[in-house]
Amino acid sequence: MNFRQFEAIYWIARLGSFHAAARHLKTSQPAISARIREIERELGVELFDRSGRSARPTAKGHELLHYAEQIMAMSAEIQQRVGTKEALSGLVRLGVTAVPAVTWMPTLLRRLARTYPGIVVEFAVDSSETLQARMLRGELDVAFMAGPISSPQVTAESLGKVDMAWLASPDLGLPLAPMSDADMALWPVITDASGSHLNELATEWFRAEGVEPGRHHSCSSLLTRIQLAVAGLGVAMGPASAASRELAAGTLRVVATRRPLPAMEYRIVYAGIGLSPAAKLVALQVKDLIGETRDLQLYYSPEAFGR
């Protein structure tokens, strides 16, 4: 038995197929199949049920998977503890949403290039929902995303929350007194794209009082939502800090409501077991960088966006 065999067992079980494991390990499916055949022959047992479209561990496969997870974790720990910074290398696939991509991610990449030149980061900028799906498929090593994620395949740590507000043009003539959900539902609202976590937060906020907005527009770009609100096309949902200039200029105001909107919680997500030392370091660097600011609201300021 050898490390490559246990590595194949771990990734087949996590990703659900020999093909996905081969793609993740950057090798061929026949090579992965050969590793499994070898260890099955050595142990005299079948480790995966190949009868369906996915490869599922057999009872003996589950037993061996426990050891494979321990071996993967131990290998990562040895490399991290014993290896030098210069020796630390590898490709890390990082997923971030739009705001980090233009605020703190450039700083992160510069620090990594300066301190750990052997680590290569390949980033993907997308919605939290897409990043979550890619994490669960094993296509990303580390992701910074909003909303909950629950899976035994990954570890998720909260990094803070961003307060949300309703933003509207004074020209719309909304009441100055705190509005109820039913009052707000009479006005067109603009939130994130349908199916997004932010869109669901808004929908749940209205449904908690048994109402639905008459017109629920969707827009995936925060800056565009702010401009649509300035144009008087609806009441936009977003962090007040992102619209601080419009609020100061009087082209937008924060709409008072009887119930506050729920905050958007951000998490750092990474593989629970088998995470490479390089990916573990990137996750740690992200946490350290966010910890320096201590307030995620600051990343939504116009200065952070460079506008």
Side-chain angles (χ1 to χ4, degrees), residues 15-16 58 63 122 142 185 199 221 235 252 259 262 273 287 307:
L15 302 180
T58 62
E63 285 186 39
E122 179 181 283
V142 181
N199 186 283
S221 167
V235 186
L252 283 181
R259 289 192 308 116
I273 298 175
K287 290 193 287 185
R307 71 180 184 100

Side-chain angles (χ1 to χ4, degrees), residues 200-221:
E200 291 175 2
L201 285 181
T203 300
E204 291 170 4
W205 185 80
F206 281 107
R207 287 179 179 171
E209 297 295 327
V211 296
E212 297 274 355
R215 282 177 288 172
H216 193 162
H217 305 303
S218 62
C219 174
S220 60
S221 167

Side-chain angles (χ1 to χ4, degrees), residues 106-291:
T107 300
L108 172 74
L109 297 183
R110 284 193 294 268
R111 288 185 182 181
L112 288 169
R114 182 173 61 250
T115 312
Y116 302 94
I119 295 178
V120 177
V121 177
E122 179 181 283
F123 61 82
V125 181
D126 218 317
S127 67
S128 292
E129 295 68 40
T130 300
L131 296 179
Q132 179 175 146
R134 294 190 65 180
M135 276 294 304
L136 296 179
R137 291 198 301 266
E139 296 174 359
L140 295 173
D141 302 304
V142 181
F144 180 85
M145 47 167 276
I149 179 170
S150 178
S151 170
Q153 299 178 15
V154 299
T155 296
E157 300 178 32
S158 176
L159 292 185
K161 297 181 179 181
V162 175
D163 293 330
M164 292 290 133
W166 290 116
L167 306 167
S169 167
D171 295 339
L172 276 182
L174 271 73
L176 296 177
M179 298 176 65
S180 68
D181 303 36
D183 293 334
M184 281 291 301
L186 298 175
W187 299 85
V189 298
I190 309 170
T191 67
D192 205 340
S194 179
S196 68
H197 179 56
L198 190 65
N199 186 283
E200 291 175 2
L201 285 181
T203 300
E204 291 170 4
W205 185 80
F206 281 107
R207 287 179 179 171
E209 297 295 327
V211 296
E212 297 274 355
R215 282 177 288 172
H216 193 162
H217 305 303
S218 62
C219 174
S220 60
S221 167
L222 171 60
L223 297 183
T224 303
R225 287 201 301 274
I226 291 172
Q227 293 308 309
L228 291 172
V230 169
L233 299 182
V235 186
M237 184 182 185
S241 56
S244 59
R245 290 183 179 173
E246 290 77 9
L247 293 170
T251 55
L252 283 181
R253 71 176 182 86
V254 174
V255 179
T257 56
R258 295 177 185 174
R259 289 192 308 116
L261 281 169
M264 177 84 79
E265 185 170 12
Y266 281 92
R267 294 173 172 83
I268 181 81
V269 183
Y270 49 89
I273 298 175
L275 191 68
S276 72
K280 188 175 292 186
L281 178 79
V282 170
L284 183 61
Q285 291 286 310
V286 170
K287 290 193 287 185
D288 288 346
L289 183 57
I290 297 299

